[in-house]
Amino acid sequence: MKKVLFVVTSNDKLGNTGEKTGFWSEEFAAPYYELLDQGIEITIASPLGGQPPIDPKSADPASATEDTKRFDADKTLQEKLKNTHKLSTINQKDYDAVFYPGGHGPLWDLVEDKNSIALIESFYTHNKPVAFVCHAPAVLKNVKVKGEYLVKGKKVTGFTNTEEEAVGLTKVVPFLLEDALTQNGGKFSKGENWQPYAVEDGLLITGQNPASSKLVAGKLLEQLNK
């Protein structure tokens, strides 16, 4: 049985706005069930361990999908989420791939988290897929392999500047994901706002927005089944 590690944020503060954030439920649920239903074993980790915050906006009934409804009713998964493993205790040797769902939360903790940075580098250098969706590609900002940014010269995507403008948070986020990956040498491309779009470059898989979650999971499954 293949094993995939999901890494979620522990940060629930949306900068200095006084509003809450966390991980985006669709970006977690869609890939989770896509992989689970194919017999993949999933472990969840976060910087602090325990219950990670869910972005309250993603729990809005207006954002509901079949996957988020399943997520809301899944008592086994809710229990699992209450007990996420501490990132510092995780070893890439125990897994076949790693996946990061987005939400704005990761911009403040996982981007700078030394354990996360080392973990992504370790998966990548051990020839294992690393996958990210929406805001999660931001966690690649400080990841280097052999002294070079992992994204340098690679095809990447993620939550775009125009999408960040559309949600009115360009002045709130610590940096714009599209700009950061481009500055680090990533070949950033994008689809239309809010439409499914994902790119793959070797072991690196990135998706643009919540609608791209299933695409990313599909690409990850293909790599796991090689």
Side-chain angles (χ1 to χ4, degrees), residues 210-226:
S212 311
S213 306
K214 265 193 167 44
L215 268 182
V216 171
K219 289 179 183 295
L220 181 55
L221 264 176
E222 279 171 28
Q223 291 221 19
L224 288 167
N225 291 330
K226 274 181 185 170

Side-chain angles (χ1 to χ4, degrees), residues 193-212:
N193 283 6
W194 319 117
Q195 295 305 305
Y197 184 78
V199 294
E200 191 172 0
D201 194 325
L203 297 165
L204 177 62
I205 304 165
T206 48
Q208 181 175 323
N209 47 35
S212 311

Side-chain angles (χ1 to χ4, degrees), residues 67 86 101 147 167 202 222:
D67 290 309
K86 247 191 175 156
V167 296
E222 279 171 28

